[in-house]
């Protein structure tokens, strides 16, 4: 084919009439998915504005009143003398504490794996990769027994320490330093008399901001949403994080548990409000870091 | 390149050639990894070893060989739990891969960039609702009394909440929840991967007369295959860990769903209701083996494909 012929074929393809059908299919696919993803969220946002009766009687997608949101709020925070406040505070302590520990150990470790040489480096890297693809929940029971042996069950360390172990974070940092920090830069600084610690803290660390943000985000969200481990190691409602607290709220809701829930003020609107409050920190982080997250993840993944 | 690539980043060969291995740099390396290595031992290596030890002994610490495994496999709840998990995994992985890749391709090639960014964001929002929160939301979505799609449920012959939560529907319900919270994030990742394909490759395909669907099938999808494999591995791993979702659905169904629906729930019952930690460990080891085997196979296969191409 000559250039012109190729061009003409291309033009003909562009204007052929069958384009409307794929367009409809594509539109339908996107619209159905949109409905599937967004409808529950809209329902969730509207429900705290209604009374339990209105939730059942009224149109599911109607708005009740602002006054009712206040009532639901009061009911929710009055539940077991402000258990909701305690749970939120606990979640913040667990996720925040383990976040600090995670960053403090993962960033230097990833740096060392990528840019220094020491005996056992390769072994450490392989074990990290294996633990990364290991189903973590299968280790929750042995971790429980281990913590039990060291008398840590019921303490905040029984949550914070296991949360701080984050091989995926180490791996992200390792890939990042391995692909984007020029080794010449470090050699030059070394010749200028920098110590190894100065190399890390003055040169590598300032350059690692994107990946530190990425690790912090994944670790925080993962820990905030974790249910299984705190559910096992924290026997006392006073210590629950909000995810385990939500479970307790569910078992206290009349619509799901007529016996235990009788006489309590926690109904569907209160539960919906509790869900919204529980996810708020994560949602805010999501909204603010969407762009950085994706570019960071892809930058970390491809190291051509 | 793949995220699971094991090839280490080599230390500058010049340095390595002129200095012995354990220099100041080596000691610095130990210092930097010490904290992580400790946590890795405490919460990665040791629990794995401990699980194996427990699975091979009885409650008095006596070595019992494979007896614990024989015991749990013969438990009448074992086969159903693993069958449930398997049915769920197949449904979930197929739906995830097909719909995520399809949507990402459509958003990349057939929608204007601004619109596509909006869609990606909207699909992404439920990702903030993980674990308990997502299950609660779906309990309401599936309750014909309050659901905004109760007409749809009724049309499908599901008039009461109890009818929706019939045990046979559980894999589908869990799949819906997992897809709702997880798929949006993967769509964004796949879209980013598609974006990384150089324009001239796509231009060349167009010149050769390939339409958008053929371009997708023969060029775009093969070029993001590493990401698809990675997504499958991660989704498989989370799928084997099912605990909170069936546990909550069991609570909400007032006991109609079995409390040992998933293997992890069975392990939980073993440990905390029967006080049999050795049996629980045996189930954990089986799950771990299944997860690692599948991940290993996928990693090996995907690399194999890559070699075939060259």
């Amino acid at each position: 084919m000559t250039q012109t012929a190729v061009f003409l074929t291309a033009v003909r393809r562009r204007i052929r009439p069958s384009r409307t059908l794929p367009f409809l299919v594509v539109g339908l696919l996107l619209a159905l998915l949109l409905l599937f993803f967004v409808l529950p969220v809209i329902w969730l946002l509207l429900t705290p504005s209604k009374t339990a009766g209105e939730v059942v009687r009224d149109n599911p997608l109607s708005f009740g009143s602002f006054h009712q949101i206040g009532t639901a709020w009061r009911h929710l925070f009055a539940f077991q003398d402000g258990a909701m406040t305690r749970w939120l505070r606990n979640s913040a302590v667990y996720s925040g504490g383990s976040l600090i520990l995670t960053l403090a150990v993962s960033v230097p470790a990833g740096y060392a794996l990528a840019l220094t040489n020491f005996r056992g480096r390769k072994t450490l890297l392989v074990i990290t990769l294996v633990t990364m693809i290991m189903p973590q929940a299968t280790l929750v029971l042995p971790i429980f027994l281990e913590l039990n042996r060291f008398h840590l069950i019921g303490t905040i360390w029984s949550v914070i320490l296991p949360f701080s172990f984050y091989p995926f974070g180490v791996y992200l940092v390792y890939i990042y330093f391995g692909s984007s920090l020029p080794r010449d830069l470090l050699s030059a600084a070394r010749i200028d008399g920098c110590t190894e610690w100065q190399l890390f803290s003055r040169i590598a660390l300032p350059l690692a901001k994107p990946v530190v943000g990425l690790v912090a985000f994944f670790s925080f969200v993962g820990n905030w949403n974790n249910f299984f481990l705190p559910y096992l190691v924290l026997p006392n409602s006073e210590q629950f994080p909000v995810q385990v607290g939500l479970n307790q709220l569910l078992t206290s809701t009349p619509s799901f548990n007529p016996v235990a829930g009788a006489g309590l003020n926690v109904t569907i609107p209160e539960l919906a409000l509790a869900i919204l409050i529980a996810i708020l920190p994560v949602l805010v982080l999501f909204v603010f870091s969407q762009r950085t997250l994706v570019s960071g993840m892809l930058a970390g993944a491809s190291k051509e | 390149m793949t995220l699971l690539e094991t090839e280490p980043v080599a230390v500058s060969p010049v340095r390595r050639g002129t200095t012995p291995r354990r220099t100041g740099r080596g000691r610095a390396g130990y210092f930097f990894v010490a904290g992580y290595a400790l946590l890795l031992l405490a919460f990665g290596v040791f629990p794995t070893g401990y699980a194996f030890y427990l699975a091979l002994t009885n409650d008095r610490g006596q070595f019992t060989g494979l007896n614990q495994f024989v015991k749990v496999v013969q438990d009448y709840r074992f086969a159903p739990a693993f069958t449930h998990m398997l049915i769920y995994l197949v449904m979930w992985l197929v739906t995830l891969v097909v719909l995520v890749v399809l949507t990402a391709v459509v958003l990349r090639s057939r929608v204007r960039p601004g619109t596509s960014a909006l869609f990606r964001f909207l699909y992404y929002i439920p990702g903030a609702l993980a674990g308990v929160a997502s299950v609660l939301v779906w309990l309401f979505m599936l309750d014909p009394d309050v659901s905004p799609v109760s007409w749809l449920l009724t049309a499908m012959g599901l008039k009461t909440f109890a009818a929706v939560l019939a045990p046979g529907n559980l894999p589908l319900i869990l799949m819906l929840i997992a897809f709702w919270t997880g798929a949006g994030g993967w769509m964004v990742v796949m879209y980013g991967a598609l974006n990384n394909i150089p324009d001239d490759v796509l231009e060349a395909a167009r010149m050769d007369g390939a339409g958008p669907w053929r371009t997708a099938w023969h060029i775009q999808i093969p070029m993001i295959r590493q990401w698809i494999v990675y997504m499958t591995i991660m989704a498989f791993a989370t799928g084997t860990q099912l605990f909170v979702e069936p546990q909550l659905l069991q609570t909400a169904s007032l006991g109609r769903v079995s409390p040992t629906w998933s293997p992890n729930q069975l392990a939980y019952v073993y440990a905390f209701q029967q006080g049999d930690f050795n049996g629980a460990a045996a189930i954990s080891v089986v799950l771990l083996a299944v997860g690692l085997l599948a991940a290993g196979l996928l990693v090996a296969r995907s690399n194999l494909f890559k070699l075939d191409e060259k």
Side-chain angles (χ1 to χ4, degrees):
Chain A
M1 268 199 283
T2 64
Q3 279 298 100
T4 338
V6 170
F7 178 72
L8 283 177
T9 331
V11 170
R12 228 172 288 132
R13 270 173 205 286
R14 255 160 220 266
I15 54 167
R16 66 183 169 185
S18 67
R19 258 188 72 100
T20 40
L21 184 68
F23 183 77
L24 273 180
V25 173
V26 162
L28 198 66
L29 172 79
L30 294 182
L32 280 179
L33 281 173
L34 189 66
L35 213 60
F36 174 76
F37 282 115
V38 173
L39 195 65
V41 178
I42 296 175
W43 179 89
L44 187 65
L45 288 170
L46 289 170
T47 296
S49 72
K50 292 178 270 195
T51 65
E54 284 169 348
V55 169
V56 179
R57 282 193 310 272
D58 291 5
N59 181 335
L61 296 180
S62 65
F63 181 78
S65 67
F66 285 106
H67 172 73
Q68 192 53 43
I69 299 180
T71 313
W73 181 278
R74 275 199 307 282
H75 285 165
L76 177 63
F77 281 88
F79 176 77
Q80 292 181 356
D81 298 323
M84 190 72 192
T85 321
R86 283 196 297 279
W87 295 335
L88 285 167
R89 201 174 48 218
N90 291 339
S91 276
V93 170
Y94 302 148
S95 311
S98 47
L99 176 65
I100 294 169
L101 260 178
T102 301
L103 290 180
V105 300
S106 306
V107 179
Y111 166 81
L113 284 173
L115 296 165
T116 65
N117 196 10
F118 58 93
R119 193 167 292 207
R121 189 184 70 95
K122 203 164 179 181
T123 318
L124 199 60
L125 202 58
V126 170
I127 300 179
T128 300
L129 284 170
V130 174
T131 7
M132 246 176 71
I133 55 174
M134 238 152 71
Q136 288 299 313
T138 55
L139 290 186
V140 169
L141 274 171
I143 287 176
F144 170 86
L145 296 170
E146 181 186 353
L147 293 166
N148 195 28
R149 180 151 292 187
F150 290 100
H151 304 291
L152 288 170
I153 293 295
T155 67
I156 64 167
W157 299 109
S158 64
V159 180
I160 289 187
L161 287 178
F163 274 3
S164 309
F165 170 56
Y166 193 45
F168 183 61
V170 173
Y171 189 71
L172 279 180
V173 178
Y174 157 74
I175 290 280
Y176 181 85
F177 278 134
S179 60
S180 67
L181 187 65
R183 253 163 284 272
D184 300 346
L185 194 66
L186 291 188
S187 309
R190 211 171 264 128
I191 291 164
D192 289 346
C194 267
T195 64
E196 292 300 314
W197 175 252
Q198 284 169 332
L199 285 182
F200 172 69
S201 60
R202 300 229 180 120
I203 297 172
L205 206 52
L207 288 170
K209 262 187 208 142
V211 77
V212 169
L214 198 66
V215 174
F217 177 85
F218 284 131
S219 140
F220 183 85
V221 172
N223 293 337
W224 185 273
N225 286 331
N226 196 319
F227 174 83
F228 199 12
L229 181 86
Y231 181 66
L232 290 199
V233 299
L234 301 172
N236 183 347
S237 161
E238 295 282 312
Q239 300 171 310
F240 284 173
V242 71
Q243 287 278 335
V244 183
L246 281 180
N247 180 47
Q248 179 156 347
L249 270 181
L250 171 74
T251 51
S252 317
T253 308
S255 41
F256 293 111
N257 195 343
V259 187
L264 276 172
N265 273 329
V266 174
T267 54
I268 293 174
E270 282 80 13
L271 209 47
L273 186 64
I275 299 171
L276 284 172
I277 294 172
I279 62 154
L280 201 63
V282 175
L283 197 65
V284 170
L285 275 180
F286 252 73
V287 171
F288 282 105
S289 45
Q290 204 207 165
R291 191 170 299 252
T292 337
L293 279 182
V294 177
S295 61
M297 241 184 116
L298 290 166
S302 56
K303 43 174 220 165
E304 270 88 354
Chain B
M1 294 259 137
T2 155
L3 199 70
L4 290 168
E5 189 179 47
T6 51
E7 202 54 41
V9 176
V11 167
S12 154
V14 183
R15 286 297 287 198
R16 193 188 272 175
T18 50
T19 48
R21 259 189 150 218
R22 271 176 297 166
T23 58
R25 298 176 63 192
R27 279 198 297 280
Y30 290 130
F31 170 72
F32 285 125
V33 297
Y36 169 68
L38 211 63
L39 287 175
L40 180 68
L41 282 177
F43 300 110
V45 177
F46 182 77
T48 311
Y50 198 40
F52 274 93
Y53 165 77
L54 284 173
L56 294 172
T57 54
N58 63 15
D59 55 355
R60 278 164 301 178
Q62 290 158 328
F63 181 75
T64 55
L66 297 176
N67 280 355
Q68 298 290 353
F69 292 101
V70 173
K71 180 184 75 188
V72 295
V73 171
Q74 284 175 347
D75 189 317
Y76 70 98
R77 297 165 296 187
F78 183 89
F82 275 83
T83 314
H84 294 153
M85 185 182 87
L86 193 72
I87 297 173
Y88 161 76
L89 272 176
V90 170
M91 286 172 62
W92 156 231
L93 291 180
V94 170
T95 317
L96 182 77
V97 170
V98 171
L99 278 181
V100 164
V101 173
L102 177 69
T103 314
V105 168
V106 164
L107 285 176
R108 175 68 184 86
S109 340
R110 312 220 66 177
V111 178
R112 265 178 286 132
T115 326
S116 141
L118 178 70
F119 273 110
R120 274 176 286 145
F121 179 65
L122 291 173
Y123 292 169
Y124 194 34
I125 291 177
L129 287 105
V132 183
S134 64
V135 186
L136 289 180
V137 169
W138 277 88
L139 284 179
F140 296 127
M141 291 306 111
L142 296 168
D143 183 347
D145 278 344
V146 297
S147 171
V149 290
S150 49
W151 54 272
L152 190 64
L153 294 170
T154 321
M156 283 157 56
L158 304 164
K159 294 193 176 60
T160 63
F161 192 38
V164 177
L165 283 188
N169 293 344
L170 228 58
L172 184 65
I173 296 175
L174 294 172
M175 197 269 284
L176 283 176
I177 298 176
F179 190 81
W180 189 66
T181 51
W186 284 118
M187 284 173 190
V188 175
V189 170
M190 290 300 159
Y191 181 91
L194 288 172
N195 243 353
N196 275 2
I197 299 175
D199 277 337
D200 35 335
V201 175
L202 300 177
E203 194 59 32
R206 210 170 8 247
M207 281 304 196
D208 289 344
W213 297 117
R214 287 185 58 190
T215 310
W217 190 251
H218 292 292
I219 295 169
Q220 289 174 301
I221 293 175
M223 286 186 87
I224 62 167
R225 197 184 43 228
Q226 300 293 342
W227 280 100
I228 300 175
V229 171
Y230 176 62
M231 173 175 78
T232 315
I233 293 172
M234 289 296 159
F236 186 93
T238 37
T240 56
Q241 303 183 41
L242 276 183
F243 177 79
V244 54
E245 294 88 352
Q247 188 83 354
L248 283 176
L249 289 172
Q250 194 260 332
T251 310
S253 75
L254 300 177
R256 291 188 60 217
V257 173
S258 156
T260 55
W261 194 87
S262 78
N264 251 329
Q265 284 178 291
L266 183 60
Y268 175 78
V269 166
Y270 258 89
F272 295 100
Q273 281 170 26
Q274 299 172 203
D276 182 355
F277 286 109
N278 303 90
I283 298 173
S284 291
V285 168
V286 173
L287 268 182
L288 193 60
V290 171
L292 277 181
L293 200 70
L297 275 179
L298 271 173
V299 171
R301 265 191 85 88
S302 62
N303 286 345
L304 209 70
F305 282 161
K306 207 171 151 193
L307 284 179
D308 284 345
E309 243 173 37
K310 280 171 188 171

